Amino acid sequence: MPTRQMTANASHLIVEQLAASGVKYVFNNSGSREALFFNELHSRSDIHGILGLHEGAVTAMAGGYTQANLAPGVMVVHLGAGLAQCMGQLINVWTGSLPVVVITFAGDTGSFADRISLDLSHNAGPTAISAPMTKASWTVIEPEGLPAAIERALRVAMTPPVGPVHLAVYDRLLGPEQFTANIIEGSLPEVRTGYPSDTDVEQIARALRDAKRPLLYTGDGIWKSGADAEVTALAERFGIPVVGELRGVSIKHPLHCGGRRLEQAGDIDPDLILCFGVRHNGAGTADDYAAFFNDARIIAVGSDVENLQNLPGLDLAVLADEKRTAQRLLELTDSPSDDLADRRAWAREEAASLRARRRDAARSIPQQQGKVRPYVLADALDNALERIGGGLVTIEQFAVAQDILENTGDAGNNEYIRPAGGSEGYGMGAAIGAKLGAPGKPVVGLVGDGSLYYSDSALWTAASHSIPVLYVISNNGAYGIVAGAFGGADADMKRTGEYRGVVLDNIDPVKLSESFGVEALDATDESSIASAIEHGLKTVEEEKRPFLLNVHLPIGLPEGGRPKAPYSFSDDVS
């Protein structure tokens, strides 16, 4: 392990180690007690601070960065208060098991006064509130240990199962005093789970050959291990319809049935479910396991126990790296042969049929003047990106689905990335992080209006740092998912058709965007939506600045629903 000794203040040691480990960006919200740290960060040219105006946006940026390139995202938030502020997005990073390193500084609430502004109570340690949402955490007391602690945090975050870690540092270390420590040189080692046994691989191959109606259930372990091409080739070779992640096997691939959940596989009635890199989750009801309670054989491949633990009745569990397993499966099986030709045709037909049903349902929505239907927006955005060689789309919205895209017979070049979790406000920051993580690709943030309002200050970050992201706002004027749940409750709102507490009206995203320094445009016409997207992409790619397109969709209320005026205090006092 190459090291070099350095004598410097603690802030310099921290930044020096981050740079030595290959960290290029530190997503942050500045704080006064960390003055020397930020002085060191902003005085260098090999590492850059990206300022977010709210800790939630900072966390989403770090998460989006890791989703784009699986390098560790490093973030710094201000004291205990900043840590608390970031928790709404840290739960997304934890849910998505993303390798984000959270660095916070903490005051000493034990030696003198036990109440310090913005610090956590003395009854809890500096890492206490982050513990449920991190895979590991440490508190650094001795300044000489800072470089090793930072290198360890980065390495642990990137060790399968990858995930967020938290490093807390007492702020008394951040003064001008000099310390001598060893800086650890070199990039982080690539750590992977081991190889599968050939016996297990042969069992999987036999099961795939013997199955009449196999189904491939894909998870984020595929892209995290870099197994996209291998697992896609596996599905093609054996003729397996796919449900699950938007990537790994691309949502546009002709074998992808659409949908993330097993129950969305329609009438396939699988006799074999091959789970690849899946962390199966549910809704906390008996239905969570319903798809497994049939006669199907269940096989799971993954690099962590989480890939195995929520699969009742598991017949074969292979705890191994997803890419290595897929590679070995391809090596030990023949290339496509005639004995599986019928099944390969069946798999494509099943997937095409399921997707056609979803697309027909989307197309059945009547056209409205001044509105763009979701499927029209989905097609226009996908086609515009394909025309320029493909792009990366980060998503936080539900109005515009990707499994309604037209089945063209190939997967195309676009990559769609779903939000890491379900806590709202992730999408605006995630697109910024993704662009920094994938600077050579066009990046689009497809974000709902509700999500925009949660984290609109991210627009300032994009403008201030000249980060060329195209934001496409799927504006249906409502919290559509919540409104659907209100309708499904079969109570007063459904009976009257009047919905309160979900309509987001009287907000102008174009003015909002421009107030943060991002040029914006309204899109209200289906006939011109393609040219509007092309204009936005041209602005972003050629002028290297962010742009926002506010696309007006039909209102996101249940069929026949109408907005009901919210409570008005003025009416009570008039």
Side-chain angles (χ1 to χ4, degrees), residues 118-139:
L118 304 180
D119 275 308
L120 300 177
S121 164
H122 63 280
N123 293 316
T127 64
I129 64 172
S130 68
M133 299 173 196
T134 53
K135 62 183 281 192
S137 60
W138 307 270
T139 301

Side-chain angles (χ1 to χ4, degrees), residues 166-375:
H166 179 198
L167 189 68
V169 179
Y170 279 105
D171 62 4
R172 68 176 179 81
L173 303 185
L174 298 183
E177 186 179 353
Q178 304 274 298
F179 305 98
T180 299
N182 290 313
I183 301 298
I184 301 169
E185 296 279 18
S187 56
L188 296 171
E190 183 181 9
V191 182
R192 305 180 74 91
T193 312
Y195 289 90
S197 72
D198 279 355
T199 301
D200 286 342
V201 173
E202 288 163 0
Q203 283 192 64
I204 297 172
R206 280 197 300 271
L208 287 172
R209 284 196 173 278
D210 293 344
K212 302 299 183 186
R213 300 177 307 281
L215 181 66
L216 181 60
Y217 182 22
T218 62
D220 59 4
I222 296 173
W223 67 263
K224 286 176 179 174
S225 67
D228 305 54
E230 289 81 2
V231 175
T232 299
L234 196 65
E236 292 171 345
R237 177 171 297 183
F238 283 95
I240 320 173
V242 178
V243 294
E245 276 281 336
L246 299 180
R247 54 180 175 163
V249 178
S250 169
I251 186 65
K252 291 176 62 181
H253 193 283
L255 284 173
H256 205 304
C257 299
R260 287 181 50 209
R261 301 186 303 277
L262 283 174
E263 59 268 27
Q264 293 173 290
D267 303 324
I268 290 177
D269 186 25
D271 58 355
L272 169 66
I273 301 173
L274 176 57
C275 307
F276 230 98
V278 173
R279 293 177 294 124
H280 182 72
N281 58 23
T285 70
D287 289 340
D288 290 350
Y289 298 145
F292 300 107
F293 292 155
N294 55 30
D295 295 329
R297 187 178 185 190
I298 304 167
I299 296 175
V301 175
S303 57
D304 180 48
V305 67
E306 284 194 358
N307 301 125
L308 314 175
Q309 67 189 30
N310 278 330
L311 305 173
L314 189 59
D315 295 284
L316 175 63
V318 180
L319 190 62
D321 180 73
E322 291 87 349
K323 181 170 184 172
R324 287 170 170 169
T325 304
Q327 286 174 331
R328 194 62 181 140
L329 264 168
L330 292 170
E331 290 167 1
L332 293 181
T333 56
D334 298 327
S335 358
S337 53
D338 291 340
D339 62 330
L340 289 175
D342 288 344
R343 200 172 76 191
R344 283 193 286 271
W346 163 83
R348 286 181 174 249
E349 289 168 5
E350 288 290 330
S353 174
L354 287 166
R355 294 183 66 121
R357 281 184 240 169
R358 293 191 179 98
R359 185 168 175 84
D360 288 346
R363 289 171 61 91
S364 69
I365 298 172
Q367 187 172 358
Q368 300 177 27
Q369 187 169 1
K371 304 292 182 183
V372 177
R373 286 169 290 180
Y375 89 90

